[in-house]
Amino acid sequence: MRIHCMQQSIPSSCMLNSSAIIRRQQFLIRALGGCCSHQTHHQFRMQSMFSGSGLGADAVQPKKGIEADACGILRLITPPLDPTRYKGQAGDKAMQDNSCMLNSSAIARRQQFLIRALGGYYHNQTHHQLRMQSMISGSGLEDDDLGNLRSITRPLDPTRYMGHTGKIAVIGGCREYTGAPYFSAISALRIGADLSHVFCTKDAAPIIKGYSPELIVHPVLEESYSVREEDKKSISERVVAEVEKWMERFDCLVVGPGLGRDPFLLDCVSNIIKHARHSSIPIVIDADGLFLVTNSLDLVSGYPLAILTPNINEYKRLVQSVLNCEVNDHDAPGQLLSLAKRIGGVTILRKGKSDLISDGNKVMSVSMYGSPRRCGGQGDILSGRQVILNFLCKPSTERKGVLFNESQCSLFSINLESFIRDSVAVFVSWAHQYISSAKEELGRNPTVLGCIAGSALVRKAASLTFENKRRSTLTGDIIECLGRSLEEICPVSCVHRSLLDQ
Ligand SMILES: NC(=O)C1=CN([C@@H]2O[C@H](COP(=O)(O)OP(=O)(O)OC[C@H]3O[C@@H](n4cnc5c(N)ncnc54)[C@H](OP(=O)(O)O)[C@@H]3O)[C@@H](O)[C@H]2O)[C@@H](O)CC1
Ligand SMILES: Nc1ncnc2c1ncn2[C@@H]1O[C@H](COP(=O)(O)OP(=O)(O)OP(=O)(O)O)[C@@H](O)[C@H]1O
């Protein structure tokens, strides 16, 4: 049977002969499943390749044992795409649970990898497959919900001019990290911001410019290695002045993607944050920006326009520093609420399998969509998107430091329906209402709504990308999917039609 299937998979073209080139072509076609459109045959062929019969009948027999071992090892060492894992974590959660001695340190991760590679790896195939299926299918958008969303989405208004839909600035990018600020800045453009600036070090600037001509790149930041001790004060003042002269134009800052941890550079960035705060500009703080504010909480404490977007490591550091305890996953919402409250009502988006969001008054969670692939940079997309979403749900007057009150503390689990009614619908309609009138008072904290919308959209884009790219999903691929993701939720054509009908 297996042999029959493999023979079928070889193109029937008689022109093909057994030269090395043709053999490689046949192998490639076979491996990619391109010669047999029938799904069952393709699946069967893929299975038989993994069980070691990927070669022709003659070749299989003598090599079968070797093939089977190679494929077995491949399966053993390939980590499952487990939604409970986070970026950079090579260990398997199930195995960690069974092994209390192992923690998430680099050494432990390497140990886990080794144990797995040597065959000690636990894998419940059926459960894993089921989980994958449910993740991939996500919470599909219902037609009615889409209709609701479309009818309330703000149109791309032809009367607006460049800059109206948002000007953002990313403070980040150093010798080591050039990708992160790029991801963040380009994502903001992809979702609808009109201008995206990056303030980075001199080393990083030409590289970031090289990634995209769309970005406005300012090579103003300095790291210790390029500054003499006696020049530090004057250079610091110059750096802050360079950013300051642009500051008023920005609707939001993202501080941290690819910033690094150089003390002199972080010192300058502290001053930039102080200036932004003084000008009541919303600040999204991510990555190394979180490292900075965790050690200097005063920078954001009590500032309602600060949004912290910690990943698992950053959150742990924040909890330890602010609450003086360890992360409590049994009462994650309660702990997040206390944390946001303790930092004086900043909004915190705790990224993870479910994203939890709190401003110290309320906790909300977004668990729809998502991808099991944790490639570096997804958080940068989120921070970039966050900016524009926060901008969209805020009229210009609101950007000047108005406080938003929420009387009740409760936990909302956002499924698609409530997401649409309670957040996207509300924030988009608020945006529409407010940008045109800017008179009403907002009933909810727009930074929270911006977080919810940003989280949902980036998770949807990741999920769409994963459908195509599977394990090879990269952050750049997700960025490519941002437009489609947004379009599936708020199709432009539909929105335009309603504009023309008015
Ligand atoms: N393509 C790109 O350009 C991308 C660039 N990226 C950029 O990478 C930067 C770090 O972000 P990340 O997410 O890897 O750091 P995170 O999870 O907090 O820590 C993981 C572990 O690393 C360690 N550690 C980190 N930095 C350290 C330092 N300077 N020196 C020493 N230790 C350091 C850290 O140690 P700990 O702080 O816990 O002591 C923890 O154990 C950030 O700027 C981000 O934007 C990403 O956005 C991905 C795409
Ligand atoms: N287990 C998971 N399942 C589904 N989505 C997740 C999971 N973990 C994180 N995400 C989503 O991925 C995005 C990025 O989160 P992540 O924790 O990877 O950030 P990060 O580590 O800061 O990223 P970066 O690599 O940019 O530093 C968020 O939108 C979050 O919702």
Side-chain angles (χ1 to χ4, degrees):
M1 177 62 184
R2 222 156 44 196
I3 293 166
H4 171 69
C5 184
M6 292 314 299
Q7 279 171 343
Q8 235 190 8
S9 74
I10 296 170
S12 56
S13 166
C14 302
M15 290 181 314
L16 299 182
N17 60 38
S18 62
S19 75
I21 293 172
I22 299 293
R23 274 205 317 276
R24 276 181 223 122
Q25 280 176 347
Q26 288 175 345
F27 176 80
L28 207 59
I29 292 167
R30 211 166 49 224
L32 294 172
C35 59
C36 178
S37 57
H38 194 278
Q39 182 70 12
T40 322
H41 278 181
H42 171 59
Q43 281 170 344
F44 183 84
R45 205 169 54 237
M46 292 299 282
Q47 278 165 12
S48 56
M49 284 186 70
F50 271 84
S51 64
S53 57
L55 299 171
D58 291 344
V60 166
Q61 293 311 322
K63 291 186 181 172
K64 193 172 178 188
I66 300 168
E67 285 283 316
D69 280 347
C71 292
I73 287 171
L74 178 68
R75 279 199 296 266
L76 280 175
I77 64 171
T78 305
L81 292 176
D82 181 344
T84 62
R85 287 190 308 126
Y86 52 88
K87 184 195 70 183
Q89 187 193 27
D92 177 74
K93 180 71 170 57
M95 220 183 75
Q96 277 181 12
D97 292 345
N98 290 339
S99 167
C100 303
M101 288 180 320
L102 299 182
N103 59 34
S104 64
S105 72
I107 294 173
R109 284 204 312 272
R110 278 181 221 120
Q111 281 174 348
Q112 289 171 358
F113 180 81
L114 209 58
I115 292 167
R116 209 172 49 229
L118 292 173
Y121 167 62
Y122 166 77
H123 187 182
N124 181 343
Q125 181 75 14
T126 322
H127 176 61
H128 173 58
Q129 280 170 346
L130 270 175
R131 213 170 44 211
M132 290 285 289
Q133 273 167 16
S134 64
M135 287 198 65
I136 292 162
S137 57
S139 10
L141 291 166
E142 301 295 328
D143 281 343
D144 283 353
D145 292 334
L146 277 175
N148 287 342
L149 186 53
R150 282 187 206 116
S151 61
I152 54 174
T153 299
R154 205 169 115 241
L156 292 174
D157 185 343
T159 62
R160 279 185 288 130
Y161 55 84
M162 199 273 291
H164 264 177
T165 329
K167 285 173 254 164
I168 73 124
V170 176
I171 315 287
C174 63
R175 264 202 303 192
E176 285 87 0
Y177 308 121
T178 54
Y182 163 75
F183 289 147
S184 193
I186 203 78
S187 302
L189 285 182
R190 288 273 182 207
I191 196 180
D194 290 336
L195 289 172
S196 205
H197 294 243
V198 177
F199 292 84
C200 57
T201 67
K202 291 190 169 72
D203 303 311
I207 301 167
I208 299 171
K209 271 184 205 279
Y211 294 151
S212 169
E214 323 284 349
L215 303 179
I216 301 160
V217 183
H218 307 261
V220 296
L221 303 180
E222 300 272 5
E223 292 183 77
S224 304
Y225 74 88
S226 61
V227 180
R228 288 184 311 181
E229 200 55 42
E230 59 270 31
D231 296 334
K232 278 189 173 165
K233 191 167 179 296
S234 61
I235 290 181
S236 173
E237 284 167 2
R238 197 190 67 211
V239 168
V240 176
E242 281 285 336
V243 184
E244 174 67 8
K245 74 179 183 210
W246 291 87
M247 194 77 88
E248 276 297 318
R249 309 179 195 196
F250 298 134
D251 298 300
C252 195
L253 295 190
V254 187
V255 176
L259 198 57
R261 295 189 184 175
D262 179 78
F264 175 70
L265 188 147
L266 292 184
D267 210 41
C268 294
V269 173
S270 298
N271 290 328
I272 293 171
I273 293 177
K274 285 176 194 161
H275 280 263
R277 188 173 171 165
H278 184 71
S279 305
S280 296
I281 293 172
I283 315 171
V284 178
I285 302 195
D286 190 31
D288 298 317
L290 286 165
F291 175 80
L292 171 64
V293 301
T294 300
N295 297 323
S296 313
L297 276 172
D298 285 354
L299 288 173
V300 290
S301 190
Y303 185 47
L305 300 180
I307 300 139
L308 316 186
T309 58
N311 67 12
I312 190 163
N313 287 324
E314 292 146 0
Y315 188 71
K316 188 174 162 196
R317 281 197 293 267
L318 209 51
V319 167
Q320 286 169 341
S321 160
V322 178
L323 299 179
N324 211 10
C325 63
E326 292 304 317
V327 172
N328 174 6
D329 279 325
H330 297 295
D331 182 21
Q335 190 173 50
L336 180 65
L337 192 77
S338 314
L339 186 65
K341 205 176 270 181
R342 189 71 74 82
I343 313 179
V346 298
T347 297
I348 304 177
L349 190 167
R350 178 192 170 175
K351 295 176 282 191
K353 189 177 169 217
S354 292
D355 291 345
L356 282 180
I357 298 149
S358 181
D359 59 354
N361 282 319
K362 177 182 276 185
V363 182
M364 307 192 95
S365 93
V366 180
S367 45
M368 56 198 269
Y369 306 117
S371 149
R373 182 77 166 91
R374 304 263 58 79
C375 47
Q378 289 183 68
D380 303 318
I381 304 181
L382 185 72
S383 58
R385 299 174 71 109
Q386 212 59 56
V387 169
I388 184 63
L389 288 163
N390 280 310
F391 169 75
L392 280 177
C393 65
K394 216 173 293 160
S396 55
T397 51
E398 293 294 333
R399 274 181 267 130
K400 300 301 175 190
V402 179
L403 286 171
F404 307 95
N405 295 316
E406 194 68 55
S407 53
Q408 288 188 323
C409 301
S410 57
L411 172 68
F412 284 76
S413 182
I414 306 289
N415 60 25
L416 189 73
E417 283 175 31
S418 62
F419 162 73
I420 286 170
R421 274 191 228 111
D422 294 345
S423 79
V424 170
V426 178
F427 95 69
V428 172
S429 60
W430 280 346
H432 188 45
Q433 206 178 324
Y434 268 79
I435 287 171
S436 51
S437 72
K439 281 177 193 150
E440 304 293 318
E441 253 204 33
L442 289 181
R444 287 180 129 193
N445 188 343
T447 58
V448 171
L449 295 172
C451 284
I452 293 167
S455 164
L457 286 172
V458 82
R459 291 170 77 96
K460 178 162 177 66
S463 139
L464 287 174
T465 310
F466 186 77
E467 279 173 25
N468 273 333
K469 301 278 180 170
R470 316 296 285 191
R471 279 180 198 276
S472 73
T473 298
L474 295 180
T475 297
D477 301 324
I478 301 176
I479 291 172
E480 289 300 313
C481 250
L482 288 178
R484 191 180 141 206
S485 166
L486 200 54
E487 181 66 13
E488 284 194 10
I489 299 179
C490 313
V492 167
S493 54
C494 191
V495 176
H496 269 150
R497 204 173 313 128
S498 69
L499 182 73
L500 292 173
D501 290 345
Q502 282 172 9

